[in-house]
Amino acid sequence: MVVKEKISQWFEHFHAHPEVSWKEVETTAKLAEILTDMGVKHHTFDDVTGVVAEIGEGERVIAVRADIDALWQEVGGVYQANHSCGHDANISMVLGALSYLQQEQLGSRIRFIFQPAEEKGNGANSMIERGAVDGVSQLFGVHLRPQEEIPFGKVTPAIHHGAAVFLEGKITGVDAHGARPHQGNNALDPLFAIAQFVKTIQFSPYEAYSAKLTKVQAGGDSLNIIPGTATFAIDARSQSNSVLNELKERIDEGIQAIGKLYGVDIDLVWSDYTPAAEVAEEAAVIAKEAILETVGEEGFAPAIITSGSDDFHFYTIHRPELQAAMIGVGADLGPGLHHPDMTFNREALDIGARVLTATLKKASYMED
């Protein structure tokens, strides 16, 4: 069977068997089965999902990462695991590159990291802790891109993701009768103040950033009770790590000031931080040369800046010496990433696999 057909079969399997973050048990088992059938050395972990495989020889190590988890979302009125971010495609493209590379002479070892829990924003950290990038000099990723970023047939050597973090808050006041508001401490008033406050945070217009409420819960079935308790969540994003850090500080300070103003306690917990991309020029140049070699000038797209985030960039945050870039593959993807009915042109899978193959082979012969 030719590699392109294998890629299609792998995709169909993983698309039909999605698993959410940290529960990619069958996905891990299937990957191990495929790698065994391919005769590729690999290992799994006792305490987390995911697989790391390796081919080639030598001291120098090049690596590529594929994320393997799915989202939990409503599809056709039913909540279920769903590969609407294209991680099933990422798995298939990386497996395809591995299969192509088995037919090539390599200049160094190439490591394949099948990483869990990207959607939770911390799966990369689990792989870092378990030595997945130990000794790695260059790391590449790959991801399908929505149609509004690049069209089908084009490939970009670098995706500049933004940074993101989530805040969960709880306001604690005192319930009161609707006719006697003076006897309580209404949680809705500071909640509305927070909603307005986040809209007032400003940075230079040359910076891309946002902060918005994404969840609000307060009150119960009794409409004559003024709620003393409310919970909320905020999604904060920036195109740079430094602006996101300052954005967090301003949100913290502002919300605590609102709590004092209204005489309520507000507990805050930040979670699922994902850093902005730190793209290495050297890695992006290698990917560009591979794209030109594989699909020509007509298939090349410049680096793209996207407001989305990816925990791929934790690898360079924790290992600053690591040269990294994520390749973006145009796939006529719509209506959009994370849409429950997301679809794309399946021909993009082999294009991505071949570009990745050329990138990894080229990188394997480069000197640090």
Side-chain angles (χ1 to χ4, degrees):
M1 184 184 299
V2 299
V3 175
K4 184 176 180 179
E5 292 175 356
K6 291 181 183 178
I7 294 171
S8 180
Q9 287 191 0
W10 289 327
F11 172 80
E12 293 296 342
H13 173 84
F14 292 114
H15 185 73
H17 299 84
E19 294 178 297
V20 297
S21 302
W22 300 122
K23 296 181 180 179
E24 311 95 330
V25 177
E26 294 304 320
T27 302
T28 297
K30 182 63 176 179
L31 281 165
E33 176 188 314
I34 292 169
L35 292 166
T36 298
D37 291 343
M38 295 172 73
V40 176
K41 294 185 298 182
H42 64 278
H43 65 271
T44 56
F45 306 91
D46 294 333
D47 52 348
V48 297
T49 45
V51 187
V52 175
E54 200 169 277
I55 61 174
E57 298 178 352
E59 292 297 318
R60 190 164 176 272
V61 184
I62 305 301
V64 58
R65 174 273 221 167
D67 31 15
I68 67 173
D69 56 331
L71 290 157
W72 184 259
Q73 65 183 155
E74 186 177 1
V75 183
V78 178
Y79 278 93
Q80 62 185 59
N82 187 36
H83 269 304
S84 59
C85 196
H87 293 182
D88 45 358
N90 299 347
I91 297 170
S92 305
M93 288 187 286
V94 170
L95 283 173
L98 195 165
S99 188
Y100 279 126
L101 285 166
Q102 284 186 300
Q103 306 168 25
E104 300 283 348
Q105 185 70 34
L106 303 175
S108 60
R109 284 185 287 157
I110 300 181
R111 190 173 297 164
F112 299 82
I113 303 167
F114 296 94
Q115 176 211 299
E118 188 280 326
E119 296 296 351
K120 290 293 185 181
N122 51 13
N125 291 332
S126 72
M127 293 293 98
I128 294 167
E129 292 165 1
R130 288 160 182 79
V133 290
D134 287 358
V136 173
S137 57
Q138 291 179 325
L139 174 68
F140 297 90
V142 64
H143 209 296
L144 300 181
R145 302 317 302 162
Q147 54 197 6
E148 65 268 20
E149 289 186 354
I150 50 175
F152 169 74
K154 288 188 177 290
V155 185
T156 178
I159 305 170
H160 291 261
H161 287 100
V165 69
F166 305 119
L167 174 66
E168 293 182 273
K170 181 177 181 180
I171 301 170
T172 304
V174 180
D175 284 6
H177 192 293
R180 303 174 183 85
H182 62 288
Q183 294 178 350
N185 206 339
N186 190 344
L188 293 177
D189 292 334
L191 184 60
F192 294 145
I194 290 169
Q196 292 302 311
F197 159 67
V198 295
K199 297 178 182 179
T200 69
I201 301 175
Q202 295 183 348
F203 293 92
S204 165
Y206 297 104
E207 300 287 352
Y209 61 93
S210 70
K212 58 276 182 186
L213 282 171
T214 55
K215 176 183 174 183
V216 171
Q217 292 180 333
D221 293 336
S222 299
L223 303 183
N224 63 344
I225 295 176
I226 299 171
T229 302
T231 59
F232 64 93
I234 291 175
D235 176 302
R237 296 176 184 268
S238 170
Q239 208 57 49
S240 73
N241 293 313
S242 59
V243 170
L244 186 73
N245 289 335
E246 188 173 349
L247 182 59
K248 283 178 60 181
E249 291 178 8
R250 292 198 195 180
I251 291 172
D252 270 332
E253 293 171 358
I255 290 178
Q256 294 304 335
I258 288 170
K260 291 179 181 179
L261 178 65
Y262 285 91
V264 296
D265 293 325
I266 305 181
D267 296 317
L268 303 176
V269 177
W270 292 96
S271 63
D272 290 346
Y273 163 64
T274 308
E278 299 288 349
V279 178
E281 182 179 354
E282 298 89 339
V285 167
I286 292 171
K288 178 180 179 179
E289 291 174 353
I291 292 167
L292 293 172
E293 178 183 301
T294 306
V295 294
E297 286 281 356
E298 65 277 10
F300 174 77
I304 58 174
I305 296 174
T306 177
S307 57
S309 60
D310 196 298
D311 80 348
F312 176 82
H313 307 296
F314 269 122
Y315 290 105
T316 50
I317 292 294
H318 293 294
R319 301 290 176 87
E321 73 282 1
L322 195 59
Q323 296 178 4
M326 180 178 284
I327 296 167
V329 181
D332 196 25
L333 186 154
L337 291 169
H338 291 207
H339 190 284
D341 301 319
M342 184 273 281
T343 60
F344 66 93
N345 188 329
R346 304 289 177 81
E347 292 295 317
L349 295 173
D350 189 58
I351 294 173
R354 289 188 291 109
V355 167
L356 199 53
T357 300
T359 301
L360 295 170
K361 181 180 178 181
K362 193 175 293 289
S364 78
Y365 283 99
M366 301 292 290
E367 293 184 3
D368 292 333

